[in-house]
Each structure stands twice: as C-alpha cells, then as structure tokens.
Amino acid sequence: MPKHDDPTTTLPGTGPEPTAPAAPPPPSGPAPAGPGYRAVFRVREFRIVFVAHLFSLLGVVVSELALTVLVYELTRSPLLSSLTFALGFLPYLVGGTLLAGLTDRLPPRRILVVCDLVCAGCVALMIVPATPVAVLLALRCAVAVVSPVFNGTRMATLADILGEGDLFVLGRSLLRIVSQSALLAGFAVGGVLLTVVPPRGALAVTATTFLVSALLLRLGTARRPARAAGRAAAGGLSGTWAVLRNRRVRALMLMFWVPPLFAVVPEALAAPYADRIGVSTAALGLLMCALPVGTIAGELFAGSFLTASTRSRIVLPLALTGVLPYLLYAVEPGVALAAVALFLAGATGAYTLGLDAWFVAAVPEEQRGRAMTLMTAGMMTVQGIGMAGAGVAAEFAPVHTVVAGTGVLGTLCLLAAAAELRAAGATEGRDGADRHVPHG
C-alpha cells in the first residue's frame, strides 16, 4: 500500500471524500444488566461490517490452506509449506509499525476498501500458473503486511459506528467470536473445497470473497473524514513512538500482548503432545479445538449476562489466571483433562471485553486508528514468537513440562504487566469519573 505524507491525498481511483456527519454519541442512560448482542445487530452499519468480516475471514483462512497445499505440490518441501503459515505472522510487525499512520491520516472507509482490493489482487496473482514459488511467498507477505492496517482501521471504525460505550465492546467481541469460530470451521471448509477444486481454484474463490468484502464496505458504510492531520498524524516510527509515549496506552497494550504470547503454547505443541501420549488424530483435533471453544464460551457469557461495570472488575482476575490451567500438564494428563485445562484457559479470555473499554477510552481519538493497528499487530506478532519459542523449548524438555512451565512463567509475566497497568492508572478513571467504563 502506498504511503502518503499529505493527509488530504486520495488513493488512486477513489475520488474526493466529503466530510461525514459526526458519529452518533454512545447510547445514553444507565445500562440494563446485560443488553446482549442483539442491540449491536440493530445498528445497520455494523451488520454490513459483520458480514464483510465473514467474507474477509473466509478468504484469509481458505487462502492460507490453499496456498500451503499449492506450495507443497510445487516444491514437495515441508519447510516451505510450513513457512507459508509462518509468513502470516511475521509481516504484521512491519505493517503495524510502518503503515499504522495511514489509519488516522486517510478516510477509514477508503483504507478498508483498498486493503481488501490489495488482498484480492495478491490472491489473483497467486492463481496465475506461471507465478514462481518465491513470488507466491512474497504475495503472502503482502497480504499479511496490510492485514494489521485493515484490522486496526476496522476496530477504530467500530467506535465511530457504535460509540465508545458498551455497544463498541460487544461489537468487538462479536468480531473476535467470529474469528475464533473461523479457526474451528474455516480449515474444514477449505479442506472440503480442496477435494472439489485444485488449490488455484480455491484461491480464485478467496479472491472473490475479498472483492465481496470490499463491495460491502464501499456501499454499506458511511464516508468519514480522516481522524487526524499534521503532526497528530505523523508517519512511520515517529508516529508509533508518539502513541507509545502514553504510559497508560502502553500498559494496556502490554496487557493485550502478554496473554496470547503464552496462550498459544499448548496449541503449538498439540501434535507432539498427542504423539507422546499415543492418541488418535481425532483426539488431536479435540486438543486443537478446546482453547477456541473456551474463548467463544467465555466471551458469549460475558457479553450476554454481565454488565459493563462487572466486565471491568473481572479484567485483572481473569487475565492473571489465564494460563494457570496449564499447570495441569505437569501430571502429563490424558486428552480429557488436557482439553478441560485448555477450555478453562480459553474461557478466561472474557477479560478482553473490559480491556477493550479501557483501551478505547484511553487513546486520543486522533491516534485511535494507529493505536489499534499497533495493538492488533503486536498480538499477532507475539503469537508467532510464542509458537516459535514453544518449539525451541520442546527440543530440550518434554512437551508437558514446557506447557506446565508456561503456566508458571506466563503468570509471573502477567503479574508484572498488571502491576504496570495499576501504576499507569489505566484501571482508574483519572481524566473523568470512570471514563474507561462507559455504560451503554
């Protein structure tokens, strides 16, 4: 994606962007106990974003699987095939730091549409039979580079659509639930698709899903101006540092990043653990599904039955206990007990609803897109680091010991992150009475 120094510059072919009316304020009045997710779906513009998210996710998941199969068919190299997956994590850091400024310097709808078109174009080039493997991997990197820009912009746009209160938190939760569900169903759908069409045919389907997402966002969402201009929209690393200088925002980002760094370890080692205890492929599938199922269950419960103030109060207790269930691996449990541990660890992910409310309240509006892009890029990056670290550790210690050790080390790191969060005042309303816990 091209970098623009002038915040008023338009991307090619998009035309001028008139100013949109101000975003609707957060719903006023006291929040009923658990307004639930239906209130979010009553917002038409959110419904469009939600459906576009479904199509975009389908494109990402199926393209990852199809490209992995295609690279293996062309090279017969397990290393290059696995590298295709790894390239989905590593470029996030590049896109999240160098391109994050675009999210505040350009109109958000334009960014979302262009990112979808870039992904569709990259996947379309993958379909060409003459495309060499090196170019296929480079195109995979390009998709990963624009992904944090897209995700951060969409997250910031949710605050424009739903306000900064409870509806925003529930909208974010719904998109996360869909993402977790994609882990459960997406690869199954892709696997079935690959039995019907060759890998390049499956890639053609995913290019279409990106185009559908772009069309939905272009026609179904409102035009809004860029959030910032001039120095507030500084580009590159200087703009990134401008966000990270805010201790409260920095501490909140740390709280988003530390849990997934350790949470991915059992998933990364699921296959060698299943082999160690001598269970079937079906049992391996259960181990892979337990964590995301727990995450979905925890988010659904918190979003449906807890008030905003309750979700705020449970952020630190849930986050600090998030990887403690991994201690059960110390006894080298069977599949059933290991799945219970993973489910419980996933369910503690409900802390993110309260943390989302703190984050959107702490970030100045003119930096919101960049901050959310950095946050999502960091989450993806630390997951890749966590997976790699788990593999290295498992070369020197038994798998169950590595997972159990993660429970200890992760908890200590979370305690340190929580202490920084308290010291930064990110859990207390200092710029207004409990401004971080807006009620819907």
Side-chain angles (χ1 to χ4, degrees):
M1 179 182 293
K3 179 177 178 180
H4 295 264
D5 296 321
D6 180 0
T8 63
T9 303
T10 60
L11 294 177
T14 57
E17 195 75 54
T19 301
S28 59
Y37 292 105
R38 284 184 295 179
V40 184
F41 279 116
R42 293 191 189 105
V43 181
R44 176 189 172 277
E45 200 172 354
F46 174 79
R47 294 198 299 270
I48 298 296
V49 172
F50 182 82
V51 175
H53 183 56
L54 289 176
F55 277 99
S56 183
L57 266 179
L58 179 63
V60 169
V61 174
V62 175
S63 65
E64 285 180 351
L65 181 59
L67 185 60
T68 299
V69 173
L70 177 61
V71 169
Y72 184 74
E73 286 184 355
L74 293 173
T75 65
R76 295 297 170 182
S77 168
L79 174 61
L80 288 176
S81 180
S82 62
L83 182 61
T84 305
F85 269 116
L87 290 175
F89 289 95
L90 300 180
Y92 259 77
L93 185 60
V94 176
T97 53
L98 299 184
L99 301 180
L102 293 175
T103 58
D104 292 319
R105 295 163 60 203
L106 297 171
R109 187 179 70 176
R110 188 183 309 167
I111 296 173
L112 294 174
V113 171
V114 170
C115 284
D116 266 336
L117 293 177
V118 168
C119 292
C122 289
V123 174
L125 291 175
M126 295 176 189
I127 301 170
V128 179
T131 305
V133 172
V135 176
L136 290 175
L137 296 178
L139 292 169
R140 177 71 182 93
C141 285
V143 172
V145 165
V146 301
S147 290
V149 179
F150 180 90
N151 292 334
T153 303
R154 182 180 57 202
M155 183 177 171
T157 302
L158 279 185
D160 298 331
I161 295 172
L162 301 173
E164 298 178 9
D166 208 33
L167 287 184
F168 166 79
V169 172
L170 294 176
R172 275 276 295 151
S173 175
L174 279 170
L175 296 188
R176 275 196 304 267
I177 289 170
V178 171
S179 298
Q180 290 293 331
S181 301
L183 295 177
L184 300 175
F187 288 123
V189 171
V192 171
L193 183 62
L194 287 172
T195 64
V196 180
V197 297
R200 284 194 171 90
L203 288 171
V205 172
T206 65
T208 303
T209 64
F210 285 122
L211 291 174
V212 171
S213 175
L215 185 65
L216 286 170
L217 293 171
R218 177 62 181 84
L219 300 179
T221 60
R223 294 177 292 182
R224 293 179 172 86
R227 290 182 183 83
R231 293 187 63 186
L237 296 178
S238 62
T240 298
W241 178 240
V243 173
L244 296 178
R245 275 200 301 265
N246 185 323
R247 187 181 182 187
R248 182 183 298 187
V249 173
R250 194 169 64 242
L252 288 167
M253 283 191 181
L254 192 64
M255 207 64 198
F256 274 110
W257 294 342
V258 174
L261 173 65
F262 297 99
V264 297
V265 170
E267 286 186 304
L269 300 178
Y273 185 72
D275 180 65
R276 179 179 176 86
I277 63 176
V279 297
S280 65
T281 304
L284 171 60
L286 178 62
L287 292 177
M288 294 294 290
C289 291
L291 190 69
V293 167
T295 302
I296 292 170
E299 290 228 15
L300 283 174
F301 178 82
S304 300
F305 300 108
L306 303 183
T307 63
S309 58
T310 301
R311 292 196 296 264
S312 181
R313 286 195 297 269
I314 65 175
V315 169
L316 292 182
L318 286 182
L320 293 176
T321 56
V323 293
L324 282 179
Y326 293 173
L327 295 177
L328 290 173
Y329 271 79
V331 299
E332 198 169 0
V335 172
L337 185 57
V340 168
L342 294 173
F343 179 88
L344 291 175
T348 64
Y351 80 90
T352 53
L353 279 80
L355 196 60
D356 277 337
W358 296 355
F359 191 71
V360 75
V363 177
E365 183 177 357
E366 66 274 9
Q367 295 180 330
R368 186 176 292 159
R370 181 191 294 271
M372 292 180 175
T373 299
L374 290 171
M375 187 266 284
T376 55
M379 288 181 67
M380 289 299 295
T381 302
V382 298
Q383 288 180 70
I385 294 172
M387 290 180 178
V392 172
E395 291 289 325
F396 301 95
V399 172
H400 70 283
T401 303
V402 173
V403 178
T406 297
V408 176
L409 179 60
T411 301
L412 293 175
C413 291
L414 283 165
L415 286 169
E420 172 61 16
L421 198 65
R422 289 287 194 187
T427 63
E428 301 173 6
R430 290 186 175 178
D431 297 334
D434 290 330
R435 189 170 68 91
H436 66 282
V437 192
H439 291 271

